[in-house]
Amino acid sequence: MNEKINNLMQEVETLAVQTKEQVEEYRIKWLSKKGEVSALFEDFKSAPSDIKKELGQKLNELKIKAQDKINHLKEKFESAEGATANAADLSLPGFPTLQNGSRHPLTLVKKQIIDIFSRIGFTVSDGKEIEDDWHNFSALNTPENHPARDMQDTFYVNVNPEMVLRTQTSSVQVHIMEYQKPPIRTISPGRVYRNEAISARAHCQFHQVEGLYIDEKVSFADLKQTLLYFAKEMFGNDTKIRLRPSYFPFTEPSAEMDISCTICKGKGCNVCKYTGWVEILGCGMVDPQVLINCKIDENKFKGFAFGMGIERIAMLKYEIKDLRLFFENDVRFLKQFTSA
Ligand code: DAH
């Protein structure tokens, strides 16, 4: 009997099987009611009493070992099966209920602005977000003591030499005029930064689109017609515009442009503060000093420029009341712009 136990013990220890079914076969062979271990327990009953204690211990050890072995092998095959079942089946067709992502509303509006101006010959130019003092301020005729340079408004990246996070996309105008000969007709969309407290109406980062047209006979009438075309394309054919005199260091004369309120159509509501008009951009004729700063012949060439906030246009277009929504990336907000 002792030998039988030893042989079975060895069989248990060295068992190697290939399938789950083989494991089951061995379970039956060893551990079922009619199995070999059970048979040994039967024999044990009639074993001589002087070796019963030792034999009993051995037999118990064999039973535990055999059970452990079977359990271990069973688990091994089951987890391998699970892994195969969970592996991605790359041959499956696309899942039809997967949700489409959506473009950010600012991307949508930026794209629309680009489309509108490219239809009348404007190219798109890119600029840098970290600018030197010359391109962000000096070349644009912004005197050293101008409030826009105040530490309150501008994020300084470096003090000497002075580098700033650009406060306006007008800086791209300067780069373009420095390296490109007129005629120039371009828009420059991009992100700008100002040191402002964040609220529903202001943020420390936002987006602008700058427009620039330089040629021999550019007039204020060209500026007005270009902007009227833009307003109608963007907000609908019955949109009206009005230009109010204003001041910008880099344009002379300067103006701000209002459009008839898109919400109440000019009748008066809380968006237009019951005036029927909402301001959407600044514009003007490029100051000859700016042309000189950029080494363009100010006697031969003239130009107009304009600058608008993309958030402002998007807020009017989609009736969004809080600027912060653009930067929070809340999917409940973004989902509303899913296109078909
Ligand atoms: N850069 C101005 C701003 O950030 C906007 C602007 C006004 C741009 C008039 C222009 C312009 O090109 O002519 O407030």
Side-chain angles (χ1 to χ4, degrees):
M1 186 175 175
N2 201 15
E3 205 184 318
K4 271 193 189 167
I5 295 177
N6 286 343
N7 288 345
L8 201 51
M9 189 78 96
Q10 205 181 351
E11 194 182 1
V12 170
E13 276 167 5
T14 56
L15 178 72
V17 289
Q18 305 301 326
T19 64
K20 201 175 137 190
E21 288 69 34
Q22 283 177 311
V23 180
E24 182 59 9
E25 277 166 24
Y26 274 94
R27 189 192 65 78
I28 294 167
K29 181 171 180 273
W30 295 337
L31 298 166
S32 67
K33 267 191 181 158
K34 289 181 184 159
E36 290 171 24
V37 177
S38 310
L40 283 168
F41 271 99
E42 265 320 298
D43 295 350
F44 170 74
K45 284 180 190 161
S46 52
S49 52
D50 57 329
I51 55 162
K52 239 183 172 168
K53 191 178 171 202
E54 196 194 334
L55 218 51
Q57 276 175 354
K58 251 185 148 173
L59 206 48
N60 274 330
E61 200 188 321
L62 171 68
K63 190 179 171 191
I64 292 169
K65 268 209 170 152
Q67 257 164 359
D68 281 356
K69 184 83 179 194
I70 295 290
N71 290 345
H72 168 76
L73 288 171
K74 231 173 159 176
E75 252 172 47
K76 192 175 115 182
F77 284 110
E78 274 166 8
S79 68
E81 263 175 14
T84 328
N86 289 337
D89 179 356
L90 300 180
S91 66
L92 281 176
F95 206 58
T97 55
L98 274 184
Q99 289 199 335
N100 281 338
S102 55
R103 283 189 207 279
H104 194 281
L106 294 179
T107 308
L108 291 174
V109 171
K110 179 177 96 172
K111 189 175 173 305
Q112 207 178 341
I113 296 172
I114 292 174
D115 284 350
I116 292 171
F117 281 105
S118 64
R119 289 204 286 275
I120 53 169
F122 280 77
T123 60
V124 178
S125 322
D126 241 352
K128 308 171 191 174
E129 291 186 18
I130 296 177
E131 269 299 359
D132 52 36
D133 172 276
W134 170 255
H135 290 92
N136 197 74
F137 293 128
S138 301
L140 289 164
N141 236 3
T142 308
E144 207 134 297
N145 53 359
H146 193 280
R149 287 190 167 212
D150 198 305
M151 290 293 261
Q152 294 292 309
D153 295 319
T154 308
F155 286 115
Y156 284 83
V157 179
N158 196 18
V159 178
N160 192 15
E162 215 159 73
M163 298 297 285
V164 301
L165 292 183
R166 69 177 174 193
T167 58
Q168 50 186 352
T169 44
S170 304
S171 56
V172 189
Q173 273 192 32
V174 181
H175 284 285
I176 293 164
M177 288 193 277
E178 279 173 342
Y179 71 75
Q180 204 175 308
K181 286 201 174 76
I184 296 168
R185 207 181 325 172
T186 191
I187 56 167
S188 322
R191 201 197 305 258
V192 300
Y193 303 86
R194 287 185 198 175
N195 193 358
E196 300 230 16
I198 295 170
S199 71
R201 317 194 95 243
H203 211 286
C204 56
Q205 55 165 338
F206 53 100
H207 299 79
Q208 290 187 329
V209 176
E210 184 76 13
L212 179 70
Y213 181 28
I214 308 282
D215 208 341
E216 283 187 22
K217 286 179 187 141
V218 180
S219 70
F220 201 94
D222 295 326
L223 170 62
K224 188 182 164 195
Q225 280 310 117
T226 304
L227 295 179
L228 177 61
Y229 156 80
F230 167 72
K232 282 175 180 277
E233 291 291 301
M234 192 72 194
F235 295 104
N237 216 18
D238 50 358
T239 309
K240 294 183 183 63
I241 63 164
R242 82 174 179 188
L243 291 161
R244 287 176 289 101
S246 184
Y247 169 78
F248 296 102
F250 37 87
T251 43
E252 183 57 38
S254 302
E256 278 172 311
M257 186 177 96
D258 300 337
I259 57 166
S260 48
C261 181
T262 50
I263 314 287
C264 64
K265 306 282 173 236
K267 286 192 201 78
C269 67
N270 62 355
V271 171
C272 61
K273 303 203 186 75
Y274 300 95
T275 62
W277 296 96
V278 281
E279 186 214 313
I280 62 159
L281 55 82
C283 60
M285 300 305 291
V286 177
D287 191 307
Q289 186 58 48
V290 175
L291 297 176
I292 296 168
N293 292 344
C294 300
K295 306 203 166 43
I296 286 181
D297 184 349
E298 83 282 12
N299 296 314
K300 192 169 170 202
F301 294 105
K302 281 182 192 308
F304 68 66
F306 57 87
M308 68 183 98
I310 301 183
E311 281 81 355
R312 177 123 186 92
I313 306 286
M315 284 170 99
L316 285 170
K317 207 170 160 61
Y318 297 120
E319 296 182 33
I320 296 165
K321 299 229 159 57
D322 193 324
L323 186 65
R324 289 168 290 198
L325 285 165
F326 290 119
F327 302 101
E328 283 165 359
N329 281 335
D330 183 333
V331 281
R332 289 168 302 178
F333 171 69
L334 297 175
K335 241 178 13 191
Q336 297 173 63
F337 302 93
T338 310
S339 48

